[in-house]
Amino acid sequence: MALEAEGPTVADAASSHHHLYEAYNELHTLSQHLSSTPFSSPAILVVGHQTDGKSALIEALMGFQFNHVGGGTKTRRPVTLHMKYNEECVGPVCGIVDEEGNGVVKEKSLEEIQAYIQSENLRLENEACQFSPKEIIIRVEYKYCPNLTIIDTPGLIAAAPGRKNSSLQGQARGVESLVRAKMQHKEFIILCLEDCSDWSNATTRKVVMQVDPELSRTIIVSTKLDTKIPQFSCASDVEVFLSPAESTLDGFILGGSPFFTSVPSGRVGSGHGSVFRSNAEFEQAVSLREVEDIGSLEKKLCRPLSDKERSRIGISSLRHFLEELLRKRYMDNVPLIVPLLEREHRNGVKRLNEIIQELSTLDESKLKVKGRNFQDLFLTKLSLLLKGSVVAPPDKFGETLQDERANGGAFVGLDCLQFPHKLIPNAAMRLYGGAQYHRAMAEFRFVVGGIKCPQISREEIVNACGVEDIHDGTNYSRTACVLAVAKARDTFEPFLNQLGFRLLHILKRLVPICIYLLQKEGEYLSGHEVFLGRFTSAFNNFAESTERGCREKCMEDLVSTTRYVSWSLHNKNRAGLRHFLDSFGASEQAIANSSPSYSGSYQEPALASNANDKQDNKAKSDTKLGHVISGTDSGGSPQTTETRLADLLDSTLWNRRLAPSSERIVYALVQHIFHGIKEYFLASAELKFNCFLLMPIVDKLPALLREDLECAFENDLDRIFNVSRVRSSLGQQKRDTEIELKRIQRLKEKFRQIHEQLCHEPN
């Protein structure tokens, strides 16, 4: 009678777990070399400060010593330890995964691994960035090893303040940044080490909680327990230390409460300073230390520890907890890994087909077609960005006004002050393309339109009067024109240059955005960097020459308006000027009536006056100009033309001592002319930049790019597309992708088999 087949045995379960660990180890190695991989295998990430006993704890978990233990920075790259229990390995059997990305494991001795880690530390120590996030992956099989994957990170540094410690402070920031980046992986279980006897002193937890604020995937371990037990004076202190309140730890940690470990000091070796002669002796010492710690705690507490408390004491308890937790995570994640591997396999097949397609198009006629198609699609995207689009992510390609000023220059006048960016509409928005161009032009109008005429000193007015070629009289209208055009030229010319530079910056930013959009749609010429460089250079050269020509046209306008004053242009019309002078005359009359003696201090003898009537004539002369212009005297009666002319000549032609009235009217005329130049400059500059910079990008650029492209095709096609180098590069990509697909396929089959075995295992 045949026996019925029995269910899965314990040996079968052990075998399935063995394959499970192997598969996850391979998955972890694969994920380190695939930047686009959507998966990461569970692992234990050890985080602690340099003095927390991190390396000693890891060695105790492994069951053998291999690393440097002591002060200072001993690890500058994370070290991933794929540990696997193997009762047949009397000594540790180790290997390093090849860093070329092929997954090959090179068998190494412990001494060789230690030497390699030391060489990497020395190499990084002499580089600008002294730490690297790329992991050193080590495989270990040993009869004392648990089935764990542990990632040893560089020890956090608590640098002292002060300038003399600036170098160490920089290292501390680099280490913390690297560790935080590793903790971002949601699949990693964080092993947070604390060397303290008071749980309110959170040193490592402070860093961990920046990434895991609830400590929901964090295990807290209090190291160096053997040194802390003697510090407690009474049993209540020990009780609080062993069972801290949840509020004290600021979260709900894995396992419910901390673990407590001690590692015996001393190194393994045969030398005079060695304490342990073998790793087996070291493992026995670790177990003995655990027994001694339990005995010391029970003595302090005056009672035996409960089973729950014992399960938190010692390396063996921590090792068992980590192994069970990781095994459960592995098993829970198996059903999720297979679909992810299938998706990654499909993406790999797609990439391989694209590479094969690229290789098939590396002939002259097809390259020309690809180049022309790229140009047409580029111009389409360029037009789309100028007209307005949201196809490119603003957080990646947009610029706020503050960023734009920093990269493209700010509008700064002679006073070297910037207008507050918050007052410009849409200043905080990240813009690109036509929207950014419009904002820059709006800021130009806003800033330049708000400029007031610079102050004019009395010395400048007198110097501007000068001497005519036929007489030595003064001409205040000429003086006003001289001052106004000089001030306008000095004020507006810097803004013209700044506007050109800013708009050129905005236009040049369109090239990488267009290339991003073409990459997104699969139209990017991968591997043809020389062609893309020439294409980008042609666009930038066109933009620069067009901007330069446009700026020269604007400069011609500015020179013309600041070289010759046309009253119909600068004051809009004569009626406006007459209205202005009438209002000025009325204000002068009010000043004269309220302060008749004000101008007495500026008296000067007239050429036709005598000493007896000097005071009367000059008291009138300083207020006469306003009366002459308005056609009335101080009494309101009409004056004869001859009298008005004589007073005008006395005030403006023969008088070289600058009276307050003359100063005010000169300054007022200068303001009026300056305002006219500003209005014309603003309108002219905006119109010309739109017509001679923006529009050529739309209607002249396509023909220029096409001409440049055809010229390149005729004269230097092979160098532009660099066919031989591209073919070699694509060939290497093809080989790498094929290897990657084989690894993914092999892993996919492994995880599918493991999933089937786990489904048939007894609960």
Side-chain angles (χ1 to χ4, degrees):
M1 179 175 169
L3 294 174
E4 293 183 359
E6 296 180 355
T9 64
V10 175
D12 294 332
S15 175
S16 68
H17 292 165
H18 170 79
H19 292 304
L20 178 70
Y21 299 133
E22 279 290 331
Y24 268 110
N25 289 346
E26 190 174 346
L27 180 67
H28 183 89
T29 303
L30 179 65
S31 67
Q32 296 301 306
H33 300 285
L34 301 179
S35 58
S36 61
T37 180
F39 43 75
S40 181
S41 59
I44 308 297
L45 186 74
V46 184
V47 179
H49 283 76
Q50 288 183 346
T51 58
D52 289 344
K54 183 166 58 68
S55 297
L57 176 67
I58 292 173
E59 289 182 340
L61 288 171
M62 294 172 62
F64 66 93
Q65 296 180 347
F66 85 105
N67 206 353
H68 273 284
V69 176
T73 302
K74 301 299 182 184
T75 307
R76 295 186 180 273
R77 284 178 59 182
V79 178
T80 298
L81 300 163
H82 290 307
M83 297 182 287
K84 188 173 70 172
Y85 169 75
N86 189 338
E87 63 179 2
E88 297 179 358
C89 294
V90 179
V93 178
C94 306
I96 293 183
V97 177
D98 185 24
E99 297 196 3
E100 296 299 322
N102 52 23
V104 176
V105 180
K106 298 178 180 179
E107 188 170 333
K108 301 282 185 180
S109 66
L110 289 177
E111 292 75 15
E112 289 174 328
I113 292 175
Q114 189 177 38
Y116 179 74
I117 294 174
Q118 286 178 346
S119 66
E120 282 296 288
N121 289 340
L122 291 174
R123 178 182 66 82
L124 290 169
E125 189 175 356
N126 297 320
E127 293 187 0
C129 183
Q130 297 188 345
F131 298 89
S132 171
K134 189 175 182 180
E135 299 174 8
I136 299 173
I137 302 177
I138 301 173
R139 297 281 183 88
V140 182
E141 292 188 30
Y142 187 35
K143 66 177 182 179
Y144 294 121
C145 267
N147 290 304
L148 286 177
T149 295
I150 292 182
I151 304 174
D152 182 16
T153 59
L156 297 168
I157 302 172
R163 291 186 178 179
K164 63 181 180 180
N165 298 308
S166 59
S167 176
L168 193 61
Q169 291 165 8
Q171 291 186 33
R173 288 190 294 270
V175 172
E176 186 171 329
S177 176
L178 187 153
V179 172
R180 278 205 309 268
K182 287 294 179 184
M183 289 192 293
Q184 295 290 344
H185 293 270
K186 301 298 184 183
E187 296 81 5
F188 289 172
I189 299 165
I190 303 170
L191 199 65
C192 172
L193 307 190
E194 295 278 19
D195 179 16
C196 62
S197 55
D198 184 358
W199 289 114
S200 60
N201 296 328
T203 53
T204 308
R205 266 182 297 146
K206 182 179 179 182
V207 178
V208 171
M209 292 179 71
Q210 295 176 16
V211 179
D212 184 21
E214 299 297 327
L215 300 175
S216 58
R217 55 187 180 95
T218 299
I219 301 169
I220 296 178
V221 179
S222 175
T223 58
K224 305 178 184 178
L225 176 63
D226 55 335
T227 64
K228 296 180 177 62
I229 296 174
Q231 300 176 19
F232 298 114
S233 58
C234 58
S236 60
D237 293 338
V238 181
E239 296 280 5
V240 172
F241 181 64
L242 292 179
S243 303
E246 291 180 355
S247 58
T248 305
L249 297 178
D250 300 316
F252 300 94
I253 62 175
L254 284 176
S257 65
F259 284 83
F260 305 88
T261 63
S262 298
V263 179
S265 58
R267 306 303 294 168
V268 174
S270 57
H272 178 70
S274 301
V275 176
F276 310 109
R277 298 302 172 188
S278 65
N279 286 310
E281 190 176 333
F282 169 68
E283 181 67 16
Q284 291 173 1
V286 170
S287 301
L288 181 61
R289 173 63 64 190
E290 183 176 326
V291 174
E292 291 174 351
D293 287 343
I294 292 174
S296 298
L297 287 171
E298 290 180 339
K299 184 177 179 181
K300 280 282 184 180
L301 291 169
C302 300
R303 65 170 178 83
L305 293 176
S306 65
D307 292 340
K308 182 179 179 182
E309 290 171 333
R310 281 175 175 267
S311 67
R312 295 292 181 266
I313 307 297
I315 294 294
S316 64
S317 298
L318 177 62
R319 180 189 294 167
H320 176 74
F321 180 82
L322 293 177
E323 196 169 6
E324 287 299 311
L325 179 63
L326 203 59
R327 187 179 67 83
K328 186 176 184 304
R329 294 287 178 94
Y330 280 170
M331 295 176 68
D332 291 343
N333 281 6
V334 166
L336 306 176
I337 294 296
V338 175
L340 291 176
L341 285 170
E342 288 178 346
R343 187 175 69 181
E344 190 65 21
H345 189 271
R346 288 195 301 270
N347 292 336
V349 171
K350 181 181 178 183
R351 289 197 305 272
L352 182 61
N353 291 335
E354 290 173 353
I355 293 171
I356 295 172
Q357 179 66 22
E358 280 284 321
L359 285 169
S360 67
T361 60
L362 291 180
D363 64 77
E364 184 175 325
S365 59
K366 291 182 179 180
L367 286 174
K368 287 182 178 180
V369 172
K370 288 178 65 176
R372 295 186 184 108
N373 289 340
F374 178 84
Q375 175 195 275
D376 294 339
L377 291 169
F378 176 89
L379 293 172
T380 301
K381 299 302 181 187
L382 183 67
S383 176
L384 183 66
L385 293 174
L386 289 174
K387 291 177 182 178
S389 172
V390 293
V391 289
D395 58 341
K396 184 176 182 180
F397 294 104
E399 280 187 334
T400 64
L401 184 57
Q402 197 167 5
D403 296 334
E404 185 181 320
R405 286 179 175 182
N407 299 324
F411 294 120
V412 180
L414 297 176
D415 55 3
C416 297
L417 297 177
Q418 291 188 33
F419 199 84
H421 68 275
K422 294 181 179 179
L423 299 180
I424 306 298
N426 302 326
M429 293 188 180
R430 293 170 291 191
L431 306 181
Y432 56 78
Q436 189 177 11
Y437 180 96
H438 184 273
R439 182 179 64 186
M441 193 63 78
E443 184 190 4
F444 174 75
R445 287 196 306 268
F446 197 82
V447 173
V448 177
I451 294 175
K452 298 187 181 300
C453 180
Q455 290 295 324
I456 301 170
S457 67
R458 293 170 60 84
E459 289 179 342
E460 287 179 315
I461 296 175
V462 174
N463 277 309
C465 290
V467 177
E468 298 284 349
D469 57 352
I470 197 169
H471 69 89
D472 64 350
T474 56
N475 183 349
Y476 285 120
S477 62
R478 180 188 179 282
T479 300
C481 292
V482 169
L483 291 169
V485 296
K487 296 292 182 182
R489 176 75 175 266
D490 292 342
T491 300
F492 299 131
E493 185 174 354
F495 287 105
L496 183 60
N497 295 322
Q498 292 161 12
L499 177 63
F501 190 80
R502 175 78 76 84
L503 296 181
L504 182 61
H505 162 72
I506 292 171
L507 291 177
K508 284 184 175 181
R509 291 187 64 245
L510 296 176
V511 176
I513 303 177
C514 290
I515 290 177
Y516 165 81
L517 296 178
L518 294 176
Q519 283 179 318
K520 187 178 178 181
E521 296 178 2
E523 302 293 344
Y524 180 66
L525 292 178
S526 176
H528 299 289
E529 284 77 12
V530 177
F531 172 82
L532 294 173
R534 174 156 183 160
F535 192 86
T536 302
S537 178
F539 176 89
N540 290 339
N541 290 339
F542 176 81
E544 289 172 3
S545 62
T546 306
E547 183 274 330
R548 185 165 53 251
C550 177
R551 187 157 34 87
E552 289 172 355
K553 288 182 171 64
C554 293
M555 195 66 205
E556 288 178 359
D557 277 356
L558 181 60
V559 169
S560 65
T561 53
T562 56
R563 183 175 182 182
Y564 186 83
V565 175
S566 174
W567 293 104
S568 62
L569 171 65
H570 294 77
N571 291 291
K572 307 303 180 186
N573 54 59
R574 295 184 180 182
L577 175 62
R578 179 59 181 266
H579 176 74
F580 160 71
L581 293 176
D582 285 347
S583 63
F584 181 79
S587 64
E588 282 295 299
Q589 178 64 43
I591 294 173
N593 291 338
S594 61
S595 304
S597 61
Y598 176 77
S599 59
S601 60
Y602 293 96
Q603 296 168 4
E604 178 178 324
L607 295 176
S609 301
N610 55 41
N612 293 331
D613 59 7
K614 175 174 64 177
Q615 296 293 334
D616 294 336
N617 288 339
K618 292 311 297 170
K620 299 175 182 178
S621 65
D622 288 336
T623 59
K624 192 65 71 176
L625 182 59
H627 306 158
V628 171
I629 295 167
S630 62
T632 61
D633 59 10
S634 59
S637 60
Q639 291 182 313
T640 63
T641 303
E642 293 79 3
T643 304
R644 293 200 304 272
L645 181 58
D647 291 338
L648 180 62
L649 291 174
D650 184 49
S651 239
T652 63
L653 183 61
W654 299 329
N655 192 349
R656 282 275 172 166
R657 175 166 291 178
L658 190 62
S661 59
S662 302
E663 181 183 352
R664 283 193 294 273
I665 196 170
V666 168
Y667 183 63
L669 283 171
V670 170
Q671 283 186 307
H672 211 64
I673 298 169
F674 184 90
H675 179 73
I677 295 174
K678 180 179 70 176
E679 293 296 316
Y680 181 80
F681 169 74
L682 266 176
S684 172
E686 182 175 2
L687 182 62
K688 280 185 167 53
F689 271 99
N690 287 337
C691 291
F692 299 113
L693 177 61
L694 183 61
M695 292 308 298
I697 297 293
V698 177
D699 52 31
K700 291 185 179 180
L701 176 65
L704 183 137
L705 290 179
R706 191 173 297 111
E707 180 182 349
D708 183 79
L709 191 63
E710 294 301 327
C711 179
F713 286 167
E714 291 296 327
N715 301 326
D716 209 1
L717 178 67
D718 187 67
R719 191 185 69 82
I720 288 175
F721 284 104
N722 203 349
V723 177
S724 58
R725 190 190 65 79
V726 172
R727 181 176 284 111
S728 174
S729 175
L730 289 174
Q732 184 61 45
Q733 291 180 36
K734 179 175 178 290
R735 289 188 292 273
D736 292 343
T737 305
E738 287 172 344
I739 293 172
E740 176 187 315
L741 284 173
K742 289 179 181 178
R743 293 178 66 187
I744 294 174
Q745 181 65 30
R746 185 171 64 250
L747 264 179
K748 188 172 65 171
E749 293 302 322
K750 278 188 178 182
F751 274 98
R752 182 176 285 112
Q753 291 174 8
I754 292 169
H755 181 49
E756 291 175 357
Q757 290 177 4
L758 292 176
C759 289
H760 292 88
E761 277 188 9
N763 294 329

